[in-house]
Amino acid sequence: PPDEAADRALERRAVRNALAGLPARAREIVALKFHAGLDNAEIAAVLGVSASNAGTQLHRAMTKLRRALDDRS
């Protein structure tokens, strides 16, 4: 239905805008996880950090993203 498509388009735009407001490292980690489909060990290898550090950075990036999305409401 057209309303659902419009809602999805607005949600995608909100996520893109929220991502754009994140620091570069946070955007990179989110992209590696969700765009490239990497797990924490693979993200760690790309970034040259431990898997636990990659997990921590991903958690922080997602927290910032959620806050940015919540702030728009």
Side-chain angles (χ1 to χ4, degrees):
D3 288 343
E4 288 179 23
D7 287 345
R8 283 193 305 275
L10 286 173
E11 288 174 7
R12 282 192 303 272
R13 184 178 309 141
V15 170
R16 278 194 307 272
N17 290 340
L19 281 168
L22 293 179
R25 181 67 163 219
R27 284 194 313 270
E28 178 180 22
I29 290 170
V30 171
L32 290 170
K33 179 68 174 181
F34 296 101
H35 183 68
L38 303 183
D39 63 25
N40 287 2
E42 294 167 322
I43 293 170
V46 170
L47 300 179
V49 299
S50 69
S52 63
N53 184 272
T56 298
Q57 289 187 51
L58 177 61
H59 181 267
R60 289 178 181 161
M62 293 305 295
T63 298
K64 289 177 183 178
L65 182 59
R66 279 188 209 98
R67 285 185 184 144
L69 289 168
D70 286 347
D71 287 348
R72 73 180 176 92
S73 313

